[in-house]
Amino acid sequence: MVTWARTPSTMRRANFFLDLLILGSALALVVVATSWYPLLPERFVIHLNGTGKPNGWAPRHPLAWSLLPGVGLVLALLIRVAARWVEDAGARSPANFNMPDQPRFIALDIDARRTALAPTALFLRYTATLILLLFMYIIEGVGRLSTQQVASWSSWPVFIFVGLILGGLPWLFGRTRRAIAAGHSAQYR
């Protein structure tokens, strides 16, 4: 069980907010995918070329249509489970984690390690949320392309999602380093 004694309250609130956002995004993904299915023609788009024009189709079948939202949901769930695992297992087995300033991280007590791992868990929740939103965007595009509401679907938003994930890494590294330094300073005063 995660002890939140040394985890800043803003981090706890952010985790809670992101968990709610993950749940809401997962439900929205299911609603979007479910609402498109009855509108699909006998063949629906499954692949786009580099310009966003369809170049692959599949026959309309519930299993075929559910693969895309299913992959998004499974990825988000795995990332969310990883966040929970990091919070607990990472604190108990510090040598198994590649952390900035690992020798000082390993030397921390378990509560300080949990505090140092909190940014990683938060970042994983953030990533799970973005994955769900990305899959929602893709499903919306596939639905619109399949029903010929649009002739092409832009791929540049995919790069925005990737950029948002990669752009969070400097925050993650900096926040983790500061938490390790603060825990080390408090422990060895």
Side-chain angles (χ1 to χ4, degrees), residues 49-99:
N49 65 18
T51 62
K53 295 194 185 314
N55 66 355
W57 292 265
R60 182 176 180 234
H61 188 275
L63 183 60
W65 179 249
S66 64
L67 283 176
L68 188 59
V71 167
L73 290 168
V74 167
L75 277 174
L77 177 64
L78 288 174
I79 293 169
R80 175 55 186 92
V81 167
R84 179 68 179 95
W85 180 76
V86 162
E87 291 169 327
D88 192 38
R92 286 185 284 116
S93 306
N96 295 334
F97 281 77
N98 187 9
M99 298 289 288

Short mmCIF file of all heavy atoms in Angstrom, two decimals, residues 49-99:
data_model
loop_
_atom_site.label_atom_id
_atom_site.label_comp_id
_atom_site.label_asym_id
_atom_site.label_seq_id
_atom_site.Cartn_x
_atom_site.Cartn_y
_atom_site.Cartn_z
N ASN A 49 -2.55 6.61 -45.50
CA ASN A 49 -1.21 6.89 -46.01
C ASN A 49 -0.66 8.14 -45.31
O ASN A 49 -1.31 8.70 -44.43
CB ASN A 49 -1.20 7.00 -47.53
CG ASN A 49 -1.99 8.19 -48.05
OD1 ASN A 49 -2.29 9.13 -47.31
ND2 ASN A 49 -2.34 8.15 -49.32
N GLY A 50 0.50 8.57 -45.72
CA GLY A 50 1.15 9.71 -45.08
C GLY A 50 0.41 11.02 -45.21
O GLY A 50 0.60 11.94 -44.41
N THR A 51 -0.47 11.13 -46.19
CA THR A 51 -1.24 12.36 -46.37
C THR A 51 -2.60 12.29 -45.70
O THR A 51 -3.40 13.22 -45.82
CB THR A 51 -1.43 12.68 -47.87
OG1 THR A 51 -2.18 11.63 -48.47
CG2 THR A 51 -0.09 12.85 -48.56
N GLY A 52 -2.89 11.20 -44.99
CA GLY A 52 -4.16 11.07 -44.28
C GLY A 52 -5.29 10.53 -45.12
O GLY A 52 -6.44 10.58 -44.71
N LYS A 53 -4.97 9.99 -46.28
CA LYS A 53 -6.01 9.39 -47.14
C LYS A 53 -6.06 7.89 -46.89
O LYS A 53 -5.04 7.24 -46.69
CB LYS A 53 -5.70 9.68 -48.60
CG LYS A 53 -5.77 11.17 -48.93
CD LYS A 53 -5.80 11.39 -50.42
CE LYS A 53 -5.76 12.84 -50.80
NZ LYS A 53 -6.58 13.74 -50.10
N PRO A 54 -7.26 7.32 -46.90
CA PRO A 54 -7.40 5.88 -46.64
C PRO A 54 -6.70 5.04 -47.70
O PRO A 54 -6.78 5.34 -48.89
CB PRO A 54 -8.91 5.64 -46.70
CG PRO A 54 -9.55 6.98 -46.64
CD PRO A 54 -8.55 7.98 -47.10
N ASN A 55 -6.02 3.99 -47.25
CA ASN A 55 -5.42 3.05 -48.19
C ASN A 55 -5.52 1.61 -47.69
O ASN A 55 -4.82 0.73 -48.16
CB ASN A 55 -3.97 3.42 -48.54
CG ASN A 55 -3.03 3.30 -47.37
OD1 ASN A 55 -3.44 3.03 -46.24
ND2 ASN A 55 -1.76 3.51 -47.62
N GLY A 56 -6.39 1.38 -46.72
CA GLY A 56 -6.64 0.02 -46.23
C GLY A 56 -8.04 -0.04 -45.63
O GLY A 56 -8.46 0.91 -44.96
N TRP A 57 -8.76 -1.12 -45.89
CA TRP A 57 -10.12 -1.27 -45.41
C TRP A 57 -10.32 -2.64 -44.81
O TRP A 57 -9.57 -3.57 -45.10
CB TRP A 57 -11.12 -1.08 -46.57
CG TRP A 57 -11.16 0.32 -47.09
CD1 TRP A 57 -12.02 1.31 -46.73
CD2 TRP A 57 -10.29 0.89 -48.07
NE1 TRP A 57 -11.72 2.47 -47.41
CE2 TRP A 57 -10.66 2.24 -48.24
CE3 TRP A 57 -9.20 0.42 -48.80
CZ2 TRP A 57 -10.03 3.09 -49.11
CZ3 TRP A 57 -8.56 1.28 -49.68
CH2 TRP A 57 -8.97 2.60 -49.83
N ALA A 58 -11.35 -2.76 -43.99
CA ALA A 58 -11.73 -4.05 -43.39
C ALA A 58 -13.25 -4.18 -43.47
O ALA A 58 -13.96 -3.16 -43.48
CB ALA A 58 -11.29 -4.13 -41.94
N PRO A 59 -13.74 -5.41 -43.52
CA PRO A 59 -15.19 -5.58 -43.52
C PRO A 59 -15.77 -5.17 -42.16
O PRO A 59 -15.13 -5.33 -41.12
CB PRO A 59 -15.40 -7.07 -43.77
CG PRO A 59 -14.09 -7.72 -43.50
CD PRO A 59 -13.03 -6.67 -43.63
N ARG A 60 -16.96 -4.61 -42.21
CA ARG A 60 -17.64 -4.17 -40.98
C ARG A 60 -17.98 -5.40 -40.14
O ARG A 60 -18.75 -6.26 -40.57
CB ARG A 60 -18.89 -3.40 -41.34
CG ARG A 60 -19.62 -2.88 -40.14
CD ARG A 60 -20.81 -2.05 -40.58
NE ARG A 60 -21.50 -1.54 -39.45
CZ ARG A 60 -22.79 -1.71 -39.24
NH1 ARG A 60 -23.53 -2.33 -40.13
NH2 ARG A 60 -23.35 -1.21 -38.17
N HIS A 61 -17.39 -5.46 -38.98
CA HIS A 61 -17.65 -6.54 -38.03
C HIS A 61 -17.35 -5.98 -36.64
O HIS A 61 -16.37 -5.24 -36.47
CB HIS A 61 -16.75 -7.74 -38.33
CG HIS A 61 -17.10 -8.94 -37.54
ND1 HIS A 61 -16.61 -9.16 -36.27
CD2 HIS A 61 -17.90 -9.99 -37.83
CE1 HIS A 61 -17.10 -10.29 -35.80
NE2 HIS A 61 -17.87 -10.82 -36.73
N PRO A 62 -18.18 -6.32 -35.65
CA PRO A 62 -17.95 -5.76 -34.31
C PRO A 62 -16.54 -6.04 -33.77
O PRO A 62 -15.94 -5.18 -33.15
CB PRO A 62 -19.01 -6.45 -33.45
CG PRO A 62 -20.06 -6.90 -34.38
CD PRO A 62 -19.38 -7.16 -35.69
N LEU A 63 -16.03 -7.23 -34.04
CA LEU A 63 -14.70 -7.56 -33.54
C LEU A 63 -13.63 -6.70 -34.22
O LEU A 63 -12.74 -6.17 -33.55
CB LEU A 63 -14.39 -9.04 -33.75
CG LEU A 63 -13.06 -9.52 -33.20
CD1 LEU A 63 -12.98 -9.29 -31.68
CD2 LEU A 63 -12.84 -10.98 -33.52
N ALA A 64 -13.74 -6.54 -35.53
CA ALA A 64 -12.77 -5.72 -36.25
C ALA A 64 -12.82 -4.27 -35.77
O ALA A 64 -11.77 -3.64 -35.56
CB ALA A 64 -13.03 -5.80 -37.75
N TRP A 65 -14.02 -3.74 -35.58
CA TRP A 65 -14.15 -2.35 -35.15
C TRP A 65 -13.67 -2.16 -33.71
O TRP A 65 -13.09 -1.13 -33.37
CB TRP A 65 -15.60 -1.88 -35.29
CG TRP A 65 -15.80 -0.47 -34.82
CD1 TRP A 65 -16.48 -0.06 -33.73
CD2 TRP A 65 -15.27 0.72 -35.43
NE1 TRP A 65 -16.43 1.31 -33.61
CE2 TRP A 65 -15.69 1.81 -34.65
CE3 TRP A 65 -14.48 0.97 -36.55
CZ2 TRP A 65 -15.35 3.12 -34.94
CZ3 TRP A 65 -14.15 2.28 -36.84
CH2 TRP A 65 -14.59 3.34 -36.05
N SER A 66 -13.87 -3.17 -32.86
CA SER A 66 -13.50 -3.01 -31.45
C SER A 66 -12.00 -3.14 -31.21
O SER A 66 -11.53 -2.84 -30.10
CB SER A 66 -14.26 -4.03 -30.59
OG SER A 66 -13.87 -5.34 -30.93
N LEU A 67 -11.24 -3.57 -32.20
CA LEU A 67 -9.79 -3.71 -32.00
C LEU A 67 -9.12 -2.38 -31.68
O LEU A 67 -8.29 -2.30 -30.77
CB LEU A 67 -9.14 -4.35 -33.23
CG LEU A 67 -9.32 -5.85 -33.34
CD1 LEU A 67 -8.72 -6.36 -34.64
CD2 LEU A 67 -8.72 -6.58 -32.16
N LEU A 68 -9.45 -1.35 -32.41
CA LEU A 68 -8.79 -0.06 -32.20
C LEU A 68 -9.07 0.52 -30.81
O LEU A 68 -8.14 0.83 -30.06
CB LEU A 68 -9.16 0.93 -33.30
CG LEU A 68 -8.39 2.24 -33.30
CD1 LEU A 68 -6.90 2.00 -33.46
CD2 LEU A 68 -8.89 3.12 -34.44
N PRO A 69 -10.34 0.65 -30.40
CA PRO A 69 -10.54 1.14 -29.03
C PRO A 69 -10.02 0.16 -27.99
O PRO A 69 -9.53 0.57 -26.93
CB PRO A 69 -12.05 1.32 -28.92
CG PRO A 69 -12.64 0.57 -30.04
CD PRO A 69 -11.61 0.47 -31.11
N GLY A 70 -10.07 -1.14 -28.30
CA GLY A 70 -9.57 -2.15 -27.36
C GLY A 70 -8.08 -1.99 -27.12
O GLY A 70 -7.61 -2.06 -25.98
N VAL A 71 -7.32 -1.74 -28.19
CA VAL A 71 -5.88 -1.54 -28.04
C VAL A 71 -5.61 -0.29 -27.19
O VAL A 71 -4.76 -0.29 -26.30
CB VAL A 71 -5.19 -1.44 -29.42
CG1 VAL A 71 -3.77 -0.91 -29.30
CG2 VAL A 71 -5.19 -2.80 -30.10
N GLY A 72 -6.34 0.78 -27.46
CA GLY A 72 -6.18 2.01 -26.69
C GLY A 72 -6.48 1.80 -25.21
O GLY A 72 -5.73 2.26 -24.34
N LEU A 73 -7.57 1.09 -24.93
CA LEU A 73 -7.94 0.84 -23.54
C LEU A 73 -6.92 -0.06 -22.84
O LEU A 73 -6.55 0.20 -21.68
CB LEU A 73 -9.34 0.20 -23.48
CG LEU A 73 -10.50 1.11 -23.85
CD1 LEU A 73 -11.77 0.31 -24.04
CD2 LEU A 73 -10.69 2.20 -22.80
N VAL A 74 -6.45 -1.10 -23.52
CA VAL A 74 -5.46 -1.99 -22.92
C VAL A 74 -4.15 -1.25 -22.66
O VAL A 74 -3.55 -1.39 -21.59
CB VAL A 74 -5.25 -3.25 -23.79
CG1 VAL A 74 -4.02 -4.04 -23.35
CG2 VAL A 74 -6.49 -4.14 -23.75
N LEU A 75 -3.70 -0.45 -23.62
CA LEU A 75 -2.47 0.33 -23.41
C LEU A 75 -2.60 1.26 -22.21
O LEU A 75 -1.71 1.33 -21.36
CB LEU A 75 -2.14 1.15 -24.66
CG LEU A 75 -1.39 0.45 -25.77
CD1 LEU A 75 -1.29 1.37 -26.98
CD2 LEU A 75 -0.03 0.02 -25.32
N ALA A 76 -3.71 1.98 -22.15
CA ALA A 76 -3.92 2.91 -21.04
C ALA A 76 -3.98 2.16 -19.71
O ALA A 76 -3.42 2.62 -18.70
CB ALA A 76 -5.18 3.73 -21.26
N LEU A 77 -4.65 1.02 -19.71
CA LEU A 77 -4.74 0.23 -18.48
C LEU A 77 -3.36 -0.26 -18.04
O LEU A 77 -3.01 -0.18 -16.86
CB LEU A 77 -5.69 -0.95 -18.68
CG LEU A 77 -5.82 -1.89 -17.48
CD1 LEU A 77 -6.45 -1.17 -16.29
CD2 LEU A 77 -6.62 -3.12 -17.85
N LEU A 78 -2.58 -0.76 -18.99
CA LEU A 78 -1.23 -1.23 -18.64
C LEU A 78 -0.37 -0.10 -18.09
O LEU A 78 0.37 -0.29 -17.11
CB LEU A 78 -0.56 -1.86 -19.86
CG LEU A 78 -1.11 -3.22 -20.30
CD1 LEU A 78 -0.46 -3.65 -21.60
CD2 LEU A 78 -0.91 -4.26 -19.22
N ILE A 79 -0.47 1.07 -18.69
CA ILE A 79 0.31 2.21 -18.21
C ILE A 79 -0.17 2.64 -16.83
O ILE A 79 0.63 2.95 -15.95
CB ILE A 79 0.26 3.37 -19.23
CG1 ILE A 79 0.99 2.95 -20.51
CG2 ILE A 79 0.86 4.64 -18.65
CD1 ILE A 79 0.77 3.90 -21.67
N ARG A 80 -1.47 2.62 -16.61
CA ARG A 80 -2.02 2.99 -15.30
C ARG A 80 -1.62 1.99 -14.23
O ARG A 80 -1.28 2.35 -13.10
CB ARG A 80 -3.54 3.13 -15.39
CG ARG A 80 -4.24 3.41 -14.07
CD ARG A 80 -3.66 4.65 -13.39
NE ARG A 80 -4.21 4.84 -12.09
CZ ARG A 80 -3.68 4.37 -10.95
NH1 ARG A 80 -2.59 3.64 -10.96
NH2 ARG A 80 -4.25 4.62 -9.80
N VAL A 81 -1.63 0.70 -14.58
CA VAL A 81 -1.19 -0.34 -13.64
C VAL A 81 0.30 -0.16 -13.34
O VAL A 81 0.74 -0.32 -12.20
CB VAL A 81 -1.50 -1.75 -14.20
CG1 VAL A 81 -0.78 -2.84 -13.42
CG2 VAL A 81 -3.00 -1.99 -14.19
N ALA A 82 1.07 0.20 -14.36
CA ALA A 82 2.50 0.46 -14.15
C ALA A 82 2.69 1.61 -13.17
O ALA A 82 3.60 1.58 -12.32
CB ALA A 82 3.20 0.75 -15.47
N ALA A 83 1.85 2.63 -13.26
CA ALA A 83 1.94 3.76 -12.33
C ALA A 83 1.71 3.28 -10.89
O ALA A 83 2.45 3.66 -9.97
CB ALA A 83 0.91 4.84 -12.69
N ARG A 84 0.73 2.44 -10.70
CA ARG A 84 0.43 1.92 -9.36
C ARG A 84 1.58 1.03 -8.87
O ARG A 84 1.97 1.07 -7.71
CB ARG A 84 -0.88 1.14 -9.40
CG ARG A 84 -1.28 0.53 -8.09
CD ARG A 84 -1.64 1.64 -7.10
NE ARG A 84 -2.05 1.06 -5.85
CZ ARG A 84 -1.23 0.88 -4.82
NH1 ARG A 84 0.02 1.25 -4.89
NH2 ARG A 84 -1.67 0.36 -3.70
N TRP A 85 2.12 0.23 -9.78
CA TRP A 85 3.22 -0.67 -9.43
C TRP A 85 4.46 0.13 -9.04
O TRP A 85 5.14 -0.22 -8.07
CB TRP A 85 3.50 -1.60 -10.61
CG TRP A 85 4.60 -2.56 -10.36
CD1 TRP A 85 4.56 -3.69 -9.60
CD2 TRP A 85 5.94 -2.45 -10.86
NE1 TRP A 85 5.79 -4.30 -9.60
CE2 TRP A 85 6.65 -3.56 -10.37
CE3 TRP A 85 6.59 -1.54 -11.67
CZ2 TRP A 85 7.98 -3.78 -10.67
CZ3 TRP A 85 7.92 -1.75 -11.97
CH2 TRP A 85 8.60 -2.86 -11.47
N VAL A 86 4.76 1.18 -9.78
CA VAL A 86 5.92 2.02 -9.47
C VAL A 86 5.80 2.60 -8.07
O VAL A 86 6.77 2.64 -7.31
CB VAL A 86 6.08 3.14 -10.53
CG1 VAL A 86 6.97 4.26 -10.03
CG2 VAL A 86 6.62 2.57 -11.81
N GLU A 87 4.60 3.04 -7.74
CA GLU A 87 4.39 3.66 -6.42
C GLU A 87 4.73 2.70 -5.28
O GLU A 87 5.24 3.11 -4.25
CB GLU A 87 2.93 4.11 -6.27
CG GLU A 87 2.57 5.25 -7.15
CD GLU A 87 1.08 5.52 -7.18
OE1 GLU A 87 0.27 4.57 -7.08
OE2 GLU A 87 0.72 6.69 -7.32
N ASP A 88 4.45 1.43 -5.48
CA ASP A 88 4.64 0.47 -4.40
C ASP A 88 5.93 -0.33 -4.55
O ASP A 88 6.81 -0.26 -3.70
CB ASP A 88 3.43 -0.47 -4.36
CG ASP A 88 3.41 -1.31 -3.10
OD1 ASP A 88 3.77 -0.78 -2.03
OD2 ASP A 88 3.04 -2.49 -3.19
N ALA A 89 6.07 -1.05 -5.65
CA ALA A 89 7.24 -1.93 -5.83
C ALA A 89 8.54 -1.14 -5.95
O ALA A 89 9.58 -1.59 -5.48
CB ALA A 89 7.04 -2.81 -7.06
N GLY A 90 8.48 0.02 -6.58
CA GLY A 90 9.68 0.82 -6.73
C GLY A 90 10.25 1.27 -5.41
O GLY A 90 11.47 1.36 -5.23
N ALA A 91 9.38 1.56 -4.48
CA ALA A 91 9.84 1.99 -3.16
C ALA A 91 10.42 0.81 -2.37
O ALA A 91 11.37 0.98 -1.61
CB ALA A 91 8.70 2.63 -2.39
N ARG A 92 9.85 -0.38 -2.56
CA ARG A 92 10.32 -1.55 -1.81
C ARG A 92 11.57 -2.18 -2.42
O ARG A 92 12.35 -2.80 -1.72
CB ARG A 92 9.21 -2.60 -1.72
CG ARG A 92 8.13 -2.20 -0.74
CD ARG A 92 7.09 -3.28 -0.53
NE ARG A 92 6.18 -3.32 -1.69
CZ ARG A 92 6.06 -4.36 -2.53
NH1 ARG A 92 6.76 -5.45 -2.35
NH2 ARG A 92 5.22 -4.30 -3.53
N SER A 93 11.75 -2.05 -3.74
CA SER A 93 12.91 -2.66 -4.43
C SER A 93 13.65 -1.61 -5.24
O SER A 93 13.62 -1.63 -6.47
CB SER A 93 12.42 -3.78 -5.35
OG SER A 93 11.65 -4.71 -4.67
N PRO A 94 14.31 -0.68 -4.59
CA PRO A 94 14.90 0.46 -5.30
C PRO A 94 16.00 0.09 -6.29
O PRO A 94 16.20 0.79 -7.27
CB PRO A 94 15.43 1.35 -4.19
CG PRO A 94 15.67 0.42 -3.05
CD PRO A 94 14.60 -0.63 -3.16
N ALA A 95 16.70 -1.00 -6.06
CA ALA A 95 17.80 -1.36 -6.96
C ALA A 95 17.29 -1.78 -8.34
O ALA A 95 18.04 -1.77 -9.30
CB ALA A 95 18.63 -2.49 -6.35
N ASN A 96 16.00 -2.11 -8.43
CA ASN A 96 15.43 -2.55 -9.70
C ASN A 96 15.02 -1.38 -10.60
O ASN A 96 14.54 -1.61 -11.70
CB ASN A 96 14.22 -3.44 -9.46
CG ASN A 96 14.60 -4.74 -8.78
OD1 ASN A 96 15.73 -5.20 -8.91
ND2 ASN A 96 13.67 -5.32 -8.06
N PHE A 97 15.16 -0.16 -10.13
CA PHE A 97 14.72 0.99 -10.89
C PHE A 97 15.90 1.84 -11.32
O PHE A 97 16.78 2.12 -10.53
CB PHE A 97 13.75 1.85 -10.05
CG PHE A 97 12.37 1.29 -10.02
CD1 PHE A 97 12.06 0.21 -9.23
CD2 PHE A 97 11.39 1.81 -10.83
CE1 PHE A 97 10.81 -0.34 -9.22
CE2 PHE A 97 10.13 1.28 -10.84
CZ PHE A 97 9.83 0.19 -10.03
N ASN A 98 15.88 2.23 -12.57
CA ASN A 98 16.91 3.11 -13.10
C ASN A 98 16.45 4.54 -12.85
O ASN A 98 15.55 5.03 -13.53
CB ASN A 98 17.12 2.85 -14.59
CG ASN A 98 18.27 3.63 -15.14
OD1 ASN A 98 19.03 4.24 -14.40
ND2 ASN A 98 18.42 3.62 -16.44
N MET A 99 17.03 5.16 -11.87
CA MET A 99 16.62 6.50 -11.46
C MET A 99 17.79 7.47 -11.62
O MET A 99 18.94 7.05 -11.55
CB MET A 99 16.21 6.50 -9.98
CG MET A 99 15.03 5.63 -9.64
SD MET A 99 13.50 6.28 -10.28
CE MET A 99 13.24 7.66 -9.21
#
